[in-house]
Amino acid sequence: MADPLVALACGLSAAFLFLLLFGLSVYLLWRKRRTQALYWGLIPATPTIPRCTTPVLQTSQSSSYGSGDVPFFVPPRFKRTPQPNEEKEEREYAEEWELHPDLHTQRGSVTVGSWFPLGSIRPDLYQLPEEPSEWALPDGSAVRLWFALRYQQEREQLVVSLLRAANLPGLCQGNVTLVKLQLLPSDDRRHRQAKARRKGCHPQFNDTFVFQVSNSCIDQCSLKMNMYTVVHQKKHHLIGQAMIPLRLSELKETAGKVQWRDLDSESDQPLSKNGDIQVSLNYNQSLHRLTVVVLRARGLQCCSDSGVCAQVSLKIHTHVVRNKWTTVAKGNNPSFNERLTFRLLPMQLDTACLTLQLQQPSTEEPVLLGIVVIGPFMYARGRELEHWNDMVSKPQELVRQWHPLGSADTLQELQ
């Protein structure tokens, strides 16, 4: 008797669940249909088109949209009548393009017009040369660089705009040209770098850089610009450099005017009184290794024919950590080409320096021919500070540079 009752109860329960699910499905389907009906009621069956225009493409207006389609039509095309003033501007722009085609290829930096693309130099901020002769090539083999300077006193910012260069040597014909800018004196090891927008002997840059410098310090600063060409194996070959002393009064007079400088090459640099020494530096932070390559010297005032050697000393604060010497080389322009290594921790880079002394061996005491100190802002300025900063910022290459030698009085001051 119990078994039939259990079966009846199970059947009733199953029927109740079926009816409940069926009712829920019908309710959801009705709700979906109602929502779709409200949505399609908001969309007109025929697209509205303004009377003054003609659509490019229009489907049949009498057909209604299906339930699964999205209404779509191509927007109308408006025809606009050019104004007389605009036609005049276009004619003037075309005439100017024919007269000065090169100026319009500089991405808006020196293009005379009312528009300029985003990220380019605004032409209305700079006074362009009035005559095409101002862009003339320099005489001889000198490399010329065009730029503009503007100092914003309220923001204490020096804005440097590099425009173009000309008369580069044949080595640069198929290579990338770079210009590195640095504000001296500065304890900032970083430098700004501009890359030419096209290869060749007459590259264009059209880059702008901002240096933060206070009004009280601007007269003591100089802007240094070095031009390089990237040769094989990504080595940077120095083409020339220019040092521009900054004066607030001159910056006000020449604000926004395009200027040019002929770059000085290594061969153009005059010899110092005691001679010069060429050194390459490299610092490997992971190995804590400072590498010094003494390459050669020139213009030495030798007292005898006993030869010349170089003593390289690593100093931290006032303590000499280690001294190393090269072999003896003969002549007033000796070549050494010797590599010396020192151990130096990264935390010691701001408190360490290198002292290079050129000496002539003697039976009694070595004769000092010249000395130079290369290091951070604590010890050095000018070329020596720049060389140290370049060494730290370029761990993948040997940074080479000439340095003028000081006299024996310099050594006494250091001690």
Side-chain angles (χ1 to χ4, degrees):
M1 185 67 182
D3 293 340
L5 292 176
V6 172
L8 180 61
C10 292
L12 292 175
S13 301
F16 177 75
L17 291 176
F18 175 77
L19 292 174
L20 182 62
L21 293 175
F22 180 77
L24 183 62
S25 301
V26 171
Y27 171 74
L28 294 177
L29 182 61
W30 171 81
R31 188 173 180 179
K32 181 179 179 181
R33 292 287 185 181
R34 183 184 176 186
T35 304
Q36 289 182 351
L38 292 175
Y39 172 74
W40 292 113
L42 297 176
I43 301 176
T46 304
T48 58
I49 301 174
R51 295 181 178 180
C52 59
T53 60
T54 303
V56 178
L57 177 63
Q58 182 179 352
T59 57
S60 175
Q61 298 184 6
S62 60
S63 62
S64 60
Y65 301 107
S67 60
D69 298 332
V70 178
F72 171 78
F73 64 93
V74 179
R77 180 177 57 191
F78 296 90
K79 295 183 178 181
R80 182 171 171 271
T81 304
Q83 301 297 327
N85 293 337
E86 296 181 359
E87 294 180 352
K88 181 179 179 181
E89 290 181 0
E90 291 180 359
R91 288 197 301 270
E92 292 178 354
Y93 184 80
E95 294 175 358
E96 184 184 354
W97 179 279
E98 295 177 358
L99 291 175
H100 308 288
D102 294 338
L103 300 183
H104 294 265
T105 60
Q106 299 190 13
R107 213 180 54 168
S109 63
V110 293
T111 300
V112 180
S114 59
W115 64 273
F116 54 93
L118 182 64
S120 64
I121 303 174
R122 290 188 56 180
D124 57 325
L125 297 180
Y126 304 99
Q127 300 178 18
L128 304 175
E130 298 179 356
E131 298 295 335
S133 59
E134 295 292 336
W135 300 99
L137 298 180
D139 297 332
S141 59
V143 178
R144 183 164 295 179
L145 180 65
W146 283 269
F147 60 93
L149 301 177
R150 177 182 293 271
Y151 184 67
Q152 302 175 350
Q153 286 188 266
E154 63 280 0
R155 299 183 180 179
E156 296 188 338
Q157 291 179 345
L158 176 67
V159 182
V160 183
S161 300
L162 287 181
L163 301 179
R164 57 185 295 185
N167 208 27
L168 272 65
L171 176 66
C172 310
Q173 183 62 41
N175 298 327
V176 176
T177 303
L178 305 175
V179 174
K180 298 181 181 180
L181 301 92
Q182 188 175 21
L183 196 63
L184 301 175
S186 173
D187 55 355
D188 187 4
R189 296 193 182 100
R190 296 174 301 172
H191 57 260
R192 312 298 195 272
Q193 177 173 293
K195 182 179 179 181
R197 305 196 179 280
R198 66 180 185 184
K199 299 179 181 180
C201 297
H202 305 286
Q204 298 175 359
F205 298 95
N206 298 339
D207 281 330
T208 302
F209 303 91
V210 178
F211 296 88
Q212 199 72 35
V213 53
S214 63
N215 296 326
S216 58
C217 297
I218 187 67
D219 288 336
Q220 288 79 38
C221 294
S222 298
L223 178 65
K224 185 170 186 179
M225 297 185 290
N226 292 351
M227 183 178 292
Y228 298 87
T229 181
V230 183
V231 295
H232 61 283
Q233 297 180 355
K234 297 183 179 180
K235 292 184 178 180
H236 293 182
H237 176 76
L238 180 64
I239 300 174
Q241 60 184 2
M243 184 74 73
I244 304 171
L246 301 178
R247 299 294 180 268
L248 185 58
S249 58
E250 296 179 1
L251 290 173
K252 290 180 180 179
E253 295 177 0
T254 61
K257 292 183 179 179
V258 176
Q259 311 174 46
W260 57 266
R261 289 288 188 280
D262 288 339
L263 303 183
D264 299 325
S265 62
E266 274 191 0
S267 58
D268 296 334
Q269 298 177 5
L271 294 176
S272 63
K273 179 180 178 181
N274 300 301
D276 300 324
I277 184 172
Q278 190 180 39
V279 184
S280 292
L281 299 180
N282 174 263
Y283 180 70
N284 191 315
Q285 185 172 357
S286 59
L287 300 178
H288 302 168
R289 184 177 64 196
L290 174 62
T291 303
V292 182
V293 182
V294 183
L295 296 172
R296 53 180 174 158
R298 62 185 181 185
L300 301 180
Q301 305 296 326
C302 296
C303 302
S304 62
D305 297 333
S306 58
V308 180
C309 70
Q311 175 185 335
V312 183
S313 304
L314 176 64
K315 181 186 294 186
I316 298 178
H317 291 294
T318 58
H319 175 63
V320 177
V321 179
R322 191 167 185 183
N323 294 322
K324 291 190 177 184
W325 290 265
T326 65
T327 56
V328 177
K330 300 290 185 178
N332 293 337
N333 301 309
S335 295
F336 301 99
N337 295 324
E338 292 196 32
R339 181 188 299 262
L340 308 174
T341 58
F342 299 89
R343 178 175 175 80
L344 184 65
L345 300 178
M347 63 184 67
Q348 298 172 329
L349 283 173
D350 292 331
T351 58
C353 69
L354 289 169
T355 303
L356 291 88
Q357 303 179 43
L358 288 180
Q359 304 172 348
Q360 277 197 296
S362 176
T363 55
E364 298 180 356
E365 187 176 349
V367 178
L368 180 63
L369 300 178
I371 183 174
V372 62
V373 178
I374 306 174
F377 190 76
M378 182 185 297
Y379 302 95
R381 300 289 189 275
R383 289 189 203 172
E384 289 71 35
L385 172 61
E386 179 189 1
H387 197 182
W388 185 269
N389 291 341
D390 287 346
M391 173 199 73
V392 177
S393 61
K394 302 175 183 178
Q396 303 298 329
E397 61 180 279
L398 280 168
V399 183
R400 181 177 58 185
Q401 190 164 328
W402 282 99
H403 295 281
L405 294 172
S407 60
D409 298 336
T410 307
L411 180 60
Q412 295 177 1
E413 295 176 0
L414 293 173
Q415 293 176 347

